[in-house]
Amino acid sequence: MKKSIMELEDISRKLEPVNNKRAHWNTSVQKYADNFLDEFNQNNTFVVSENMGKGILDLSIEDEGKPIEEVLQCLKENVDTPNINPASGGHFGYIPGGGVFTTALGDYLAAITNRYAGIFFACPGGVRMENMLLRWMCKMVGYPVTALGNLTSGGSIANLSAITTARDAKGIKAKDVDRCVIYMTKQLHHCVQKSLRVAGMKESIVRYIPMDSSFKMIPEKLNIQIEQDKANGLLPFMVFGSAGTTDTGAIDPLKKIGGIAKENKLWFHVDAAYGGFFMLSNRIKPAFKGIELSDSIAIDPHKGLFLSYGIGAVLIKDTDALYQTHHYTANYMQDAFNLDEDPSPADLSPELTKHFRGLRMWISLQLLGVAPFRAALEEKILLCQYFYEEIQKLGFEVGPEPDLSIAIFRYVPKTEDANAYNLKLVKQIMQDGRIFLSSTTIDGAYWIRFAVLSFRTHLKQVDLALQLLGNLVK
């Protein structure tokens, strides 16, 4: 048996590469990353591909490993080239992703050290770090010092966590679900409807509250609808507000909605996944007045703090409610049952095993400070306003004036169908590839979206977008 063990040990030790192999791999990966940042990132924002990454399937999984050069070349050709390049400053579609360099440093260290920051007993410093970040965000939005939350993979899980906490805090049982009424606008992000289904609230009644001409909820309509539902024996339960919708970037009248929610004892949740971090700017923060009245907030550091994909946050004013929904114990965890000095993320989240995602955020804020993030956010606001004004000079029709960094626009030709014409414009932009724009349809009208959130987007990229659009409609 010992002989077999030793033979297996010889093979398994390949999982711990020796110093010179680590050095070669590190050098190769660093060279690839530097090339991406210095050159490859400057290439087209959208690359039309016939292969569509199929070459990745040619590098099969085998018993023996392959040279890193072969692996990286496959990665470049099939993953980092086709279709959207989210690292490009010309990415104006959807909600552009982040990718600040310091994210990679944090993730590299988190992966190397492999600390488990799910419970205080295992990694007290890591838990303190993540809770420190959450308290910093709670302070930013005006929550009390007793509030907390959890770092999630993104806005979808943040919204799900808030919904399940609200469900339990309000004492909603299975027998109540079909009487529960949930209020939102049709501009609320679709992940909320998905989260309601996952949380067992699929059979609830959803009321879509009318919006004004700027695609913002009309509070008076909300109040009337709640009164009607109460009179009909229904159970008004939860109202959703948006602090930066995905379609247009609109901020709902949060103060009025919050007052109505409090008066009627509804749980008030704000989806600020995209827009929340604009609150770092004192000049923009007044637009979010009333967000402090909410019971919970979803906010994404991988959007407004420009970090790489994979870190969102849910902030909950009543930490005990979050704990009651998510805390469970098991016998095999008995060694960790101690008097934690700080709440464990595993007790405040559906996740037990989780990536130490707080390190990427902490190291970024520590190395760079808050000032560059604040400046970049204010820059994006001004760039969007600039685009909004300039695109009209080119003959385009625009939607409401931007609250944040998203504008919608369309060209209305004299003879052709406007929807078909703007669809063609978007396809032409994709073929050109230097910038990327996405679209949406509101009340049957096809709009092109201009979303500025990449930290690499500056005046040069916005002027290029204006130039390309102007040339296409001449």
Side-chain angles (χ1 to χ4, degrees):
M1 182 180 289
K2 283 188 175 181
K3 181 181 178 182
S4 296
I5 291 173
M6 296 301 294
E7 289 173 350
L8 292 170
E9 179 181 332
D10 286 341
I11 300 173
S12 67
R13 279 186 176 273
K14 291 183 179 181
L15 297 175
E16 184 74 87
V18 294
N19 184 273
N20 61 344
K21 177 160 279 191
R22 286 203 313 270
H24 175 59
W25 284 354
N26 278 333
T27 300
S28 300
V29 169
Q30 187 63 62
K31 182 179 179 181
Y32 183 93
D34 286 341
N35 180 63
F36 181 86
L37 292 173
D38 295 337
E39 301 173 16
F40 190 63
N41 174 56
Q42 304 304 317
N43 291 343
N44 286 2
T45 305
F46 191 89
V47 177
V48 178
S49 168
E50 294 182 4
N51 187 38
M52 297 290 282
K54 288 183 180 178
I56 203 79
L57 305 177
D58 296 333
L59 214 63
S60 57
I61 307 299
E62 300 170 350
D63 265 11
E64 298 299 320
K66 300 176 179 63
I68 194 166
E69 293 79 9
E70 182 182 357
V71 172
L72 291 177
Q73 186 62 30
C74 180
L75 180 69
K76 179 179 179 179
E77 293 175 357
N78 297 286
V79 177
D80 291 333
T81 298
N83 290 43
I84 302 173
N85 176 9
S88 169
H91 182 15
F92 300 111
Y94 309 115
I95 300 295
V100 290
F101 178 72
T102 48
T103 301
L105 301 180
D107 281 359
Y108 183 75
L109 291 173
I112 288 291
T113 60
N114 201 32
R115 300 304 305 222
Y116 173 58
I119 57 175
F120 186 86
F121 172 78
C123 187
V127 170
R128 291 185 196 277
M129 178 194 293
E130 295 205 345
N131 287 344
M132 171 189 176
L133 294 168
L134 289 159
R135 292 182 177 116
W136 175 72
M137 288 185 278
C138 285
K139 182 179 179 181
M140 179 185 72
V141 303
Y143 273 10
V145 294
T146 53
L148 200 58
N150 189 255
L151 295 180
T152 67
S153 60
S156 296
I157 300 301
N159 283 313
L160 174 61
S161 186
I163 289 167
T164 53
T165 302
R167 179 198 64 200
D168 295 348
K170 292 297 183 181
I172 304 299
K173 307 298 183 185
K175 62 183 177 60
D176 304 317
V177 170
D178 61 355
R179 292 177 53 240
C180 285
V181 190
I182 299 166
Y183 306 88
M184 63 183 73
T185 72
K186 289 188 176 179
Q187 284 292 299
L188 188 68
H189 197 278
H190 71 275
C191 75
V192 169
Q193 285 90 339
K194 181 177 179 180
S195 294
L196 287 168
R197 185 178 68 216
V198 174
M201 304 295 292
K202 180 181 179 181
E203 296 175 353
S204 297
I205 302 165
V206 175
R207 303 291 193 204
Y208 293 104
I209 305 303
M211 297 174 286
D212 62 19
S213 59
S214 295
F215 304 110
K216 302 178 183 183
M217 183 185 289
I218 302 174
E220 294 75 15
K221 299 290 186 180
L222 170 66
N223 199 38
I224 292 170
Q225 185 64 66
I226 292 172
E227 291 300 324
Q228 289 178 352
D229 289 334
K230 288 164 67 175
N232 290 326
L234 298 176
L235 187 61
F237 157 56
M238 191 172 187
V239 57
F240 290 87
S242 293
T245 59
T246 302
D247 268 359
T248 68
I251 301 174
D252 284 326
L254 302 175
K255 185 176 181 180
K256 290 184 178 180
I257 297 171
I260 294 170
K262 184 177 181 180
E263 183 179 347
N264 291 280
K265 299 181 179 179
L266 272 67
W267 185 283
F268 178 29
H269 176 74
V270 176
D271 183 1
Y274 150 61
F277 280 106
F278 284 99
M279 295 182 70
L280 287 174
S281 168
N282 288 330
R283 57 184 287 185
I284 303 165
K285 193 169 184 176
F288 294 84
K289 192 171 184 179
I291 197 169
E292 71 280 358
L293 301 175
S294 64
D295 297 289
S296 55
I297 299 170
I299 185 170
D300 278 355
H302 67 205
K303 293 185 175 77
L305 277 190
F306 315 113
L307 304 182
S308 299
Y309 292 128
I311 179 168
V314 60
L315 310 179
I316 305 281
K317 189 176 286 182
D318 183 354
T319 304
D320 286 341
L322 183 65
Y323 180 87
Q324 292 302 322
T325 291
H326 294 96
H327 172 70
Y328 281 92
T329 59
N331 290 338
Y332 70 87
M333 294 288 289
Q334 63 188 23
D335 297 329
F337 295 162
N338 62 349
L339 296 176
D340 293 352
E341 292 184 25
D342 227 3
S344 294
D347 288 333
L348 305 175
S349 162
E351 293 182 296
L352 295 177
T353 304
K354 70 182 211 44
H355 173 57
F356 184 19
R357 55 178 68 97
L359 184 52
R360 57 162 63 180
M361 182 175 174
W362 181 83
I363 201 169
S364 297
L365 291 170
Q366 295 293 348
L367 291 176
L368 299 171
V370 177
F373 294 97
R374 181 185 297 113
L377 289 165
E378 292 184 350
E379 178 195 18
K380 306 318 163 201
I381 292 274
L382 294 178
L383 285 173
C384 188
Q385 291 175 351
Y386 170 77
F387 177 88
Y388 184 79
E389 294 170 5
E390 294 298 316
I391 197 69
Q392 294 178 69
K393 297 175 184 178
L394 299 175
F396 283 81
E397 176 184 305
V398 294
E401 188 168 348
D403 280 345
L404 297 172
S405 67
I406 297 175
I408 58 173
F409 64 100
R410 66 202 300 258
Y411 194 83
V412 182
K414 293 181 180 179
T415 55
E416 296 182 52
D417 175 74
N419 284 0
Y421 185 87
N422 285 278
L423 173 61
K424 183 172 66 175
L425 282 181
V426 169
K427 290 183 176 179
Q428 288 174 315
I429 288 290
M430 287 185 191
Q431 290 292 327
D432 179 271
R434 283 176 285 177
I435 67 167
F436 177 74
L437 295 165
S438 61
S439 64
T440 189
T441 299
I442 303 175
D443 295 331
Y446 184 100
W447 292 91
I448 304 175
R449 295 175 62 261
F450 183 79
V452 193
L453 201 64
S454 170
F455 69 98
R456 294 188 175 102
T457 297
H458 305 294
L459 190 59
K460 177 182 176 181
Q461 285 80 19
V462 176
D463 279 338
L464 174 60
L466 289 164
Q467 176 189 335
L468 291 174
L469 289 164
N471 290 340
L472 287 173
V473 298
K474 279 183 178 178

